[in-house]
Amino acid sequence: MSLSTTITTWGYTHHPFSYVGNKGRSRFRSPGFMPHLKMKFFTNPSSLSVSAVLTKEQESKSKKQAMEFKEYVLEKAISVNKALESAVSIKEPVMIHESMRYSLLAGGKRIRPMLCIAACELVGGVESTAMPAACAVEMIHTMSLIHDDLPCMDNDDLRRGKPTNHKIYGEDVAVLAGDALLALAFEHIATHTKGVSSDRIVRVIGELAKCIGAEGLVAGQVVDIISEGISDVDLKHLEFIHLHKTAALLEGSVVLGAILGGAPDEDVEKLRKFARCIGLLFQVVDDILDVTKSSQQLGKTAGKDLVADKVTYPKLIGIEKSREFAEELNKEAKAQLVGFDQEKAAPLFALANYIAYREN
C-alpha cells in the first residue's frame, strides 16, 4: 500500500484533523477526538482497522480531512525530493554518485524529513530553515539501509520494491555509497543551513552525530546482531535495541527541527520524548508488519526476522500484546504535544497516527 493510500484510509478511520488553506501553504486546525463516534478495534492480526458509525455529514468531513492531510504529506514529500535531487548530482566519479542517487531517490515515505520540518514549524521556524537537516537525516537513513542490506548484515535483496544497492553496484561500491552519504549529510547541514546562528548549527551537528554513533543507531545495530539466536532476550533488552537502532534517528529528526526553529530547551525535551515514543512505535509496528504482510505489500523481504531468528515484539509478547503496546506508545507520544499550539502541532499528531496505522 502506498503512503497516500494508507493516509486516505487513516483519514476515514482515525483522529480527525481539519485544514485551512493559506495562500497555498498547508495549515491545520486543532485535532479533536469525536466522542460521539462509536469505535471498535478489531483483532484480526492482518489489520488495525477501526469501525465508526458516521452520519453522512461526518463521513464527508472525515474524507475531506483525509484528503487535506494527504495534500500536506505530498506537498512536503515533493519539497524534500526536490531538495534531495539537487543535493546529489551526477559528477565524477559517476558510479559512486549513481549508487548514492539510486538508493536516496528510490522513493520511501520521507517520514524523518517530514518530522524535522514539522517540528521546526511547530516552534516558529520555516521549512527552508529545516530543509538541509531534513535532507541530512534522509541521507543517513538511506546509508543505514544500504549497509543493513549487505550480505554481512541482513543479506537482503529487496528494498523499496527494487533490488538492493549492492545487487546493482556490488558490495564494495554500496559500502562506499553509504559512507559518502554519511559524510555528505554533515556537510549539507554545515554549508546549506541559512538564517541560523553558528551555535545552533554546531548543536545540531553534535546532536545528529550522537544519535547515529556508538551511543545511538550503531549501538542498536550491534546489540541486534549479537542477539541473534539468543533465547533469553527480555523486553528491556529488546527496547534497548529499538530505541537505538530505530528510534534514535527519528528522535534526531524531531530534535534537529526543534533546535533549528529556536525552541527553548524545555520544548526540545518534550519533543524528544514525543520522538522516542514514535520511534519505538515505528519499530513495534515494523515487527508486526514483518509477520503479517507479504514482501509485495511491504516492498522489502517479509519474514526475514523470523528466518534470522531475531528477537521481535511479536516473538516475545505476541501480536495482540504488540498491538496494545503500539496503542500505548501512540497515546504517550501525542500527550507530549498537548502544551503546544494545536494548529501547528496537528501534522505531528497526524504523523504519529500514520506511523501507528501504516501498512507497509
Side-chain angles (χ1 to χ4, degrees), residues 126-164:
V126 294
E127 178 184 295
S128 58
T129 299
M131 188 59 77
C135 288
V137 295
E138 190 66 12
M139 291 174 188
I140 291 171
H141 175 55
T142 302
M143 172 277 295
S144 73
L145 299 182
I146 294 173
H147 286 178
D148 207 38
D149 291 335
L150 289 167
C152 63
M153 298 283 282
D154 282 357
N155 192 24
D156 219 327
D157 297 340
L158 190 67
R159 174 69 66 180
R160 291 172 174 170
K162 299 170 63 175
T164 46

Side-chain angles (χ1 to χ4, degrees), residues 109-117 134 137-138 141 246 249-250 253-254 282:
K109 306 173 189 71
R110 308 307 191 203
I111 289 174
R112 292 157 189 81
M114 286 186 201
L115 286 169
C116 184
I117 293 167
V137 295
E138 190 66 12
H141 175 55
T246 303
L249 188 54
L250 285 161
S253 302
V254 172
F282 190 98

Side-chain angles (χ1 to χ4, degrees), residues 3 7 10 17 28 69 72-73 76 109-119 254 274 278 281-282 330 333-334 337 345-358:
L3 175 60
I7 289 167
W10 169 87
F17 291 79
F28 290 82
F69 181 59
Y72 173 86
V73 170
K76 296 303 182 187
K109 306 173 189 71
R110 308 307 191 203
I111 289 174
R112 292 157 189 81
M114 286 186 201
L115 286 169
C116 184
I117 293 167
V254 172
F274 163 82
I278 63 168
L281 170 63
F282 190 98
N330 192 17
K334 289 184 286 189
L337 302 176
L348 290 177
F349 275 99
L351 283 165
N353 275 337
Y354 165 69
I355 289 170
Y357 302 114
R358 66 195 175 95

Side-chain angles (χ1 to χ4, degrees), residues 43-344:
T43 56
N44 184 333
S46 66
S47 172
L48 263 175
S49 298
V50 179
S51 66
V53 179
L54 295 170
T55 66
K56 287 184 178 180
E57 182 181 351
Q58 290 164 349
E59 184 175 1
S60 176
K61 184 177 180 181
S62 181
K63 290 180 179 180
K64 182 173 181 290
Q65 291 160 351
M67 291 305 296
E68 287 161 351
F69 181 59
K70 177 181 174 181
E71 288 172 9
Y72 173 86
V73 170
L74 292 178
E75 174 191 311
K76 296 303 182 187
I78 289 169
S79 296
V80 170
N81 287 333
K82 183 178 179 180
L84 290 171
E85 172 80 30
S86 299
V88 186
S89 58
I90 296 293
K91 60 183 77 170
E92 294 293 340
V94 172
M95 181 177 285
I96 190 66
H97 290 93
E98 285 182 344
S99 178
M100 292 163 68
R101 287 170 60 88
Y102 175 80
S103 294
L104 185 64
L105 306 179
K109 306 173 189 71
R110 308 307 191 203
I111 289 174
R112 292 157 189 81
M114 286 186 201
L115 286 169
C116 184
I117 293 167
C120 183
E121 292 176 336
L122 171 62
V123 298
V126 294
E127 178 184 295
S128 58
T129 299
M131 188 59 77
C135 288
V137 295
E138 190 66 12
M139 291 174 188
I140 291 171
H141 175 55
T142 302
M143 172 277 295
S144 73
L145 299 182
I146 294 173
H147 286 178
D148 207 38
D149 291 335
L150 289 167
C152 63
M153 298 283 282
D154 282 357
N155 192 24
D156 219 327
D157 297 340
L158 190 67
R159 174 69 66 180
R160 291 172 174 170
K162 299 170 63 175
T164 46
N165 196 292
H166 68 274
K167 286 293 180 180
I168 302 296
Y169 295 97
E171 292 177 40
D172 46 5
V173 173
V175 169
L176 293 171
D179 293 345
L181 285 169
L182 177 61
L184 180 60
F186 290 98
E187 177 188 344
H188 198 66
I189 292 175
T191 60
H192 286 74
T193 305
K194 307 299 180 185
V196 178
S197 69
S198 57
D199 286 347
R200 267 194 278 165
I201 293 175
V202 169
R203 184 180 173 188
V204 160
I205 289 173
E207 186 79 37
L208 183 57
K210 185 175 181 178
C211 81
I212 64 171
E215 296 180 25
L217 187 153
V218 170
Q221 286 276 25
V222 169
V223 176
D224 189 31
I225 289 170
I226 63 177
S227 299
E228 289 183 21
I230 298 176
S231 59
D232 60 346
V233 173
D234 59 15
L235 281 173
K236 185 176 181 180
H237 186 96
L238 182 59
E239 185 174 288
F240 177 91
I241 293 172
H242 294 322
L243 280 174
H244 292 77
K245 180 180 177 182
T246 303
L249 188 54
L250 285 161
E251 176 184 326
S253 302
V254 172
V255 171
L256 265 55
I259 294 171
L260 290 167
D265 289 347
E266 182 181 355
D267 287 349
V268 170
E269 293 311 308
K270 286 181 184 177
L271 289 170
R272 186 188 299 279
K273 187 172 182 180
F274 163 82
R276 283 179 181 167
C277 288
I278 63 168
L280 190 54
L281 170 63
F282 190 98
Q283 188 60 53
V284 174
V285 173
D286 224 38
D287 284 355
I288 295 169
L289 293 176
D290 189 63
V291 295
T292 60
K293 299 293 181 180
S294 67
S295 297
Q296 184 178 6
Q297 289 170 312
L298 295 177
K300 60 183 180 179
T301 306
K304 63 180 183 179
D305 291 340
L306 187 63
V307 172
D309 197 25
K310 284 191 174 184
V311 61
T312 64
Y313 281 96
K315 183 177 179 180
L316 280 185
I317 62 176
I319 291 177
E320 292 311 314
K321 288 292 184 183
S322 296
R323 292 190 189 284
E324 291 174 11
F325 185 39
E327 285 294 316
E328 291 172 8
L329 288 168
N330 192 17
K331 290 177 183 177
E332 179 67 17
K334 289 184 286 189
Q336 307 311 311
L337 302 176
V338 171
F340 291 96
D341 182 308
Q342 295 297 282
E343 181 181 338
K344 291 182 178 180

